[in-house]
Each structure stands twice: as structure tokens, then as C-alpha cells.
Amino acid sequence: MSDLPADLPSSAPRHGPATMQDVADAAGVSRVTVSKFFNGGASLKPATRERIEAACRTLQYSPDPHAVSLVKGRSNLIGVVLPVISEPYFAAVLQTLEQEAATQGLQLLIQSSANDPAREAAALLALKAMKVAGIIITVVDSMQNAALLDSLAREMRIVHFDTYLTPACHHVLNDNHQSIRLLVEHCLARGRKPAYLGAPHIAFPSRPERLESYLDALRAAGLPPCVVPVAEEEHTWRFEAYAHKYVGQWLAEGSWREAQIGALVCATDRLALGAMRAMREHGLEPGRDLLVCGHDDLSFSEYLHPALTTARQDVARLGRAAIECLSLPDDYFNARRPYFERRLPAELVIRESA
């Protein structure tokens, strides 16, 4: 049976997708009224809105978001640009962003930069052409697109998620100093001096901030730091292979024994995964011979052997904060509060690896 109220006129048989005029005819209103409905017309009577909604359900009609954006000059679309989409952390971020955006009546357009400045620029320009309401971006660690980002920020709101080029921007980040300090202090409380394995050169400011936090914590404890040597110029998202390679070289070199290292703090859970394989290949049992800590609490972390001690980022709150920034009115910002700035603490999750 039709979902239309009984007093609505029946429409003639259609060929092809329904149009806005079909909705107007079925609801017994003008096309202008239907257009006003889709553009958020608050002046429409409840009965009129009900008739239009019923007609849309029956005709299975939804407006072309690009056409709506042309009329309004801005859409309900939010652009999201991430370096990788398959990475477990960013998959969790996307899920949170989609859920939160839906509560605000927003939809996401997702682009991947593949950690390439040229692809990042192309993604940003494509989103600009689609007149998105704003952009959430995890930027590539390169200044190549700094001028483009500055230009776009004068046209729309851009929220930097997990990374930024400079702190003078809207940003939502994990509190990297707090989270690494949690892990280092936990190892020290267990009577184990930790070494540190940083991430490849792909993310700013998390990479230098996490290293700085490790160094500060060791100095505060009166201990010399021990950082696993890596090739500084290496840019890769293959974290497991990266950790396996450099931790294996470090263990083979042997200086960690002389330094009385009893634990390894890794900048991400994926690094910890590669590090634990390298340990086993050198006859060491993770969680016994060397404690191991990761960072992020990815979905696989509790199912490793041993289950991974880690710092859990509050991805849900981070995602909500990013959408909140895009939803704030322009007059929220002023000379004393030019930017939306959120750094959220992590939670220590203790498991068998430490």
C-alpha cells in the first residue's frame, strides 16, 4: 500500500528515477515548496512537511546533494582526507566520524592521500569543487601543501586530526606527552628500564612529541635513554616490517643488554607487533625477557600472544570533537580564541605483555 496520506493525489506512472517535480505532484504542493523543504525551510507548516516526507518515502526520492550545494552555496557534506584508509586506527576513526556526522545530518566524502603530497592536494581541490561544508584532514608530514591549506582555511573550516603542520590551526589530537609517560612510568614501576621505538617519519607532531615524552620521563627517573636506531629518512606505513627490521638489528647488536634494558615502549601497536616477532627470532619471549608496550589499543591488540599492554586513545571523543568543531557557529571564534584546540588524554591498558 502507498505511504501517502489518503487525501494526496495519486501520481501518473513514472519511467526512471523520481524527480523533485514528482514529489511536488504527489504531495500536492509546488516544486518551490519541496525545494524549500530540502533547504531546511523552517517556515513550512508541519502538515506540509508530513506530506512531502510521505511522498519522498513512497517515491524513494532523495535530492542530489551536489544540486543542493549549488543552491545553498554550501552542502551537508564533510570532506575527510586520510593518509591511509585500511590502517586499523583510521578505520576506527572513520567509523566514529560517520556515526557522529549522522547525528548532525552530515555525510562524509572520504579521500585517501596515500601519504603523497600531490594526491593530498588533488583530494583537497576535489572537495573544494564539491562545496563541502568543511574538511577533516590528517595531513602528510610535508610543507608542500601549506599554502593550499591556508587558502582553503579562509573559505571553509578545516580540522586537523592527529597531525598538523603548525599548531596555529583547528586541531584534535591525542595528548602524546601524557600517553607515552603512562607507558614509561608503568615499565619503571615494574622495575624494568624501557627502550623506545619511534614511528617512521610520517606524522607530525605525534612522532617528535612521543619521543620527547620518553626522553623527559627517563631524565626524570635519573636514567639514560635508549632509543632504537632507525633510518630517519624512511617514510613508510608498513609499521610491522619497519619494527621487525630495526628491532632485529638492535637486538643483534647487543648494546641493550649492557644498558640493562628490560622493556620496549613502541609508538604504535603495529610497531609492537613487528617488534615481538623480532624478539622471538632472537630467542626472547615478549612479556618475560622483555616487556612490550604499544600505543593506540587497536582491535587486534588484546588478541596477540601475549596480549599487548598499550595506551588507549579515546577515538570516540576525538571523532566527536572534530565534528563539533565543524558544527560551531562562526561567532564562537574571536581574537582570544581563534582556534578549536583539543588534546585528549589516553588510558593505560595493562595486559600480559607488560
Side-chain angles (χ1 to χ4, degrees):
M1 294 181 62
S2 171
D3 194 29
L4 294 174
D7 62 333
L8 288 188
S10 56
S11 56
R14 293 181 294 103
H15 300 283
T19 66
M20 191 177 292
Q21 186 62 55
D22 292 328
V23 174
D25 292 342
V29 298
S30 69
R31 191 181 185 284
V32 172
T33 300
V34 175
S35 177
K36 185 182 295 185
F37 169 83
F38 283 115
N39 285 291
S43 62
L44 294 179
K45 297 178 180 179
T48 302
R49 299 182 66 87
E50 181 183 341
R51 293 165 71 90
I52 295 172
E53 289 168 356
C56 288
R57 288 194 298 271
T58 298
L59 299 174
Q60 297 182 349
Y61 175 82
S62 60
D64 181 345
H66 307 306
V68 173
S69 70
L70 289 174
V71 174
K72 299 173 68 176
R74 186 63 56 85
S75 73
N76 67 336
L77 300 176
I78 298 297
V80 179
V81 183
L82 300 174
V84 287
I85 295 174
S86 58
E87 209 275 343
Y89 173 73
F90 288 117
V93 168
L94 275 178
Q95 183 178 20
T96 296
L97 291 177
E98 286 181 325
Q99 292 171 346
E100 189 63 23
T103 68
Q104 304 288 332
L106 303 171
Q107 299 181 39
L108 302 186
L109 287 177
I110 302 164
Q111 300 276 326
S112 172
S113 68
N115 208 46
D116 175 16
R119 288 187 59 173
E120 180 182 76
L124 289 168
L125 291 173
L127 293 172
K128 175 186 176 182
M130 299 183 78
K131 296 185 180 296
V132 295
I135 294 175
I136 298 170
I137 182 169
T138 299
V139 292
V140 174
D141 189 5
S142 166
M143 296 300 292
Q144 188 169 321
N145 292 326
L148 173 59
L149 286 162
D150 286 343
S151 174
L152 290 175
R154 290 191 287 271
E155 302 177 29
M156 68 183 74
R157 198 167 298 165
I158 296 180
V159 185
H160 292 259
F161 192 97
D162 194 54
T163 66
Y164 55 54
L165 299 180
T166 72
C169 65
H170 303 301
H171 59 263
V172 177
L173 283 78
N174 175 71
D175 186 341
N176 296 301
H177 292 282
Q178 178 262 358
S179 56
I180 291 296
R181 185 172 64 250
L182 282 177
L183 297 170
V184 173
E185 292 178 349
H186 173 68
C187 291
L188 293 174
R190 294 291 309 276
R192 302 288 192 102
K193 176 185 173 182
Y196 179 75
L197 174 65
H201 200 294
I202 56 172
F204 183 86
S206 61
R207 183 175 183 270
E209 286 181 349
R210 293 180 189 183
L211 172 59
E212 181 182 19
S213 178
Y214 165 78
L215 296 175
D216 288 345
L218 266 289
R219 292 191 193 102
L223 297 171
C226 178
V227 178
V228 176
V230 297
E232 287 295 318
E233 70 280 1
E234 190 162 348
H235 297 249
T236 180
W237 278 95
R238 298 181 64 234
F239 285 13
E240 297 87 351
Y242 177 92
H244 178 256
K245 172 184 175 181
Y246 289 113
V247 172
Q249 293 176 0
W250 174 66
L251 292 172
E253 187 268 335
S255 63
W256 61 277
R257 293 186 184 275
E258 298 173 11
Q260 298 182 316
I261 296 299
L264 179 64
V265 171
C266 300
T268 76
D269 290 353
R270 290 178 59 201
L271 289 172
L273 185 59
M276 289 198 290
R277 175 171 176 173
M279 290 176 187
R280 290 193 172 99
E281 290 176 352
H282 285 79
L284 302 169
E285 182 57 32
R288 184 189 66 195
D289 301 316
L290 283 174
L291 305 186
V292 182
C293 296
H295 191 290
D296 296 337
D297 195 28
L298 299 178
S299 58
F300 63 77
S301 300
E302 65 178 307
Y303 301 104
L304 296 177
H305 177 67
L308 186 63
T309 291
T310 185
R312 176 184 294 155
Q313 293 199 53
D314 195 338
V315 176
R317 284 184 64 199
L318 290 167
R320 286 196 296 270
I323 298 297
E324 177 191 355
C325 176
L326 293 178
S327 303
L328 290 170
D330 290 338
D331 59 11
Y332 174 85
F333 302 100
N334 52 49
R336 291 194 299 175
R337 186 173 55 196
Y339 303 115
F340 183 94
E341 301 170 287
R342 293 290 186 276
R343 282 184 177 263
L344 301 179
E347 173 190 358
L348 178 64
V349 180
I350 301 173
R351 300 192 181 107
E352 289 87 345
S353 73

